Amino acid sequence: MSRIHSALDILDSIIRLLGIAHLDANDPVASTFTRNAVPAVDASSEQYFSASQSFTSSMSIPSPTAQQQQFAVDTTTSGSKCSCDTLSLGSQWPEAKSQVPGWLTTPMWNSEWTEGEIKKEECRRLCWSTLMLVSGHTSYSDAVNWRHRELFMVEPSNVGTILN
């Protein structure tokens, strides 16, 4: 257990010290939360929708072929796959199978992104993965009546990143 706590503390410290959790804090599309308040996202503002729609429309997602559209409608076709597989990191980057096997089904990076934009997206993914890991550990700690870790990432107001 001490190794788990040590690893969580180090990961939490890296994210806090590098400011990764506040990567998108000034972006109107980023979810931000007030300390000691119920987390809420204001999705009604025009600014949110226009920024969100412009980001989505800038993504280069291949349109499905006629055969893929038939698979989506024809439920009797055996062996059909979701066309979402073609958008995955594992499908687009063969090295992913050996380098990041846990991320094979993750959406690929936009082919038009610069190296800097890819690095920012990877930082976002690190934050969200850490949040999932810390949430799972906190849940388990509650279930077995262990003391909670005082982690930076546990406080929602400490995170301001976009979930793509």
Side-chain angles (χ1 to χ4, degrees), residues 48-67:
Y48 176 86
F49 285 109
S50 62
S52 174
Q53 290 168 348
S54 67
F55 176 78
T56 306
S57 64
S58 71
M59 299 282 291
S60 60
I61 300 174
S63 60
T65 63
Q67 183 180 13

Side-chain angles (χ1 to χ4, degrees), residues 4 8 12 17 26 28 35 39 43-44 57 61 73 79 85 92 96 101 111 118 135-136 145 150-151 154 156:
I4 291 171
L8 286 174
D12 191 64
L17 293 173
N26 295 325
R35 183 176 285 284
S44 62
S57 64
I61 300 174
V73 175
D85 289 342
Q92 296 295 316
S111 61
I118 291 172
S135 296
N145 222 10
E150 296 297 326
L151 299 170
V154 170

Side-chain angles (χ1 to χ4, degrees), residues 17 20-21 26 30-31 50 65 73 80 105 112 118 132 152-153:
L17 293 173
I20 294 171
N26 295 325
S31 299
S50 62
T65 63
V73 175
S80 66
T105 58
E112 296 171 9
I118 291 172
M132 289 186 286
F152 174 80
M153 293 296 286

Side-chain angles (χ1 to χ4, degrees), residues 13-24 127 152 161:
S13 293
I14 290 170
I15 289 172
R16 184 182 70 244
L17 293 173
L18 294 178
I20 294 171
H22 296 290
L23 187 66
D24 301 313
C127 280
F152 174 80
T161 58

Side-chain angles (χ1 to χ4, degrees), residues 31-103:
S31 299
T32 55
F33 306 103
T34 306
R35 183 176 285 284
N36 299 322
V38 175
V41 178
D42 180 19
S44 62
S45 74
E46 286 182 38
Q47 187 177 23
Y48 176 86
F49 285 109
S50 62
S52 174
Q53 290 168 348
S54 67
F55 176 78
T56 306
S57 64
S58 71
M59 299 282 291
S60 60
I61 300 174
S63 60
T65 63
Q67 183 180 13
Q68 288 171 328
Q69 288 174 346
Q70 178 187 3
F71 285 155
V73 175
D74 186 4
T75 58
T76 60
T77 306
S78 62
S80 66
K81 283 187 162 186
C82 172
S83 63
C84 298
D85 289 342
T86 61
L87 301 175
S88 71
L89 193 60
S91 169
Q92 296 295 316
W93 186 47
E95 292 85 8
K97 289 172 183 63
S98 61
Q99 294 190 21
V100 286
W103 285 88

